[in-house]
Amino acid sequence: QVQLVESGGGLVQAGGSLRLSCAASGRTGSRYTVGWFRQAPGKEREFVAAISWSGGSTRHADSVKGRFTISRDNAKNTMYLQMNSLKPEDTAVYYCAAAHNRYPLPTMEDRYDDWGQGTQVTVSS
């Protein structure tokens, strides 16, 4: 229903910053919640952050609070994840996903219906 494409990943040193983008197409006229997830090698996919359709509500995992900020620009059909003070343990493939707008903002993978292909983030020590 919603097609998502992530971009902005790359290689950075610890303490650096990256801004990930997620471009949406398809049924973008409907309201939807966006979440960011990540998956490191050998580990399960984990929740990073989520944002409501209006952008008025956000939720961030404890591991990224104070460092990552999720946002969206509905006029551009684009979602963002600003990542500051990056740590080596942030290294992972980052995915954006869309879900039916709901509250509380979902953190579980199975609540999201549409997924992007991911973008690699590598943080060196």
Side-chain angles (χ1 to χ4, degrees):
Q1 294 184 337
V2 179
Q3 291 76 51
L4 305 169
V5 180
E6 304 94 336
S7 63
L11 174 65
V12 298
Q13 290 187 308
S17 298
L18 281 175
R19 188 193 193 195
L20 304 184
S21 298
C22 177
S25 61
R27 293 183 58 183
T28 55
S30 60
R31 297 185 176 191
Y32 57 93
T33 293
V34 170
W36 285 94
F37 291 77
R38 66 186 183 186
Q39 186 168 25
K43 295 186 177 181
E44 295 185 358
R45 193 173 300 179
E46 66 175 350
F47 170 79
V48 176
I51 188 169
S52 64
W53 182 85
S54 69
S57 297
T58 62
R59 190 171 184 175
H60 298 79
D62 289 343
S63 60
V64 305
K65 284 182 179 178
R67 300 189 299 119
F68 292 10
T69 303
I70 190 171
S71 63
R72 68 191 299 172
D73 185 342
N74 289 342
K76 297 181 179 180
N77 293 319
T78 303
M79 291 65 71
Y80 306 97
L81 184 68
Q82 179 66 47
M83 305 185 295
N84 299 325
S85 301
L86 283 162
K87 305 175 181 179
E89 50 262 46
D90 295 318
T91 295
V93 176
Y94 283 71
Y95 301 87
C96 65
H100 294 296
N101 209 39
R102 65 165 73 193
Y103 297 93
L105 294 172
T107 62
M108 299 185 68
E109 180 179 348
D110 61 5
R111 295 299 183 93
Y112 290 82
D113 302 310
D114 302 298
W115 293 78
Q117 293 300 305
T119 185
Q120 177 71 47
V121 172
T122 302
V123 184
S124 62
S125 60

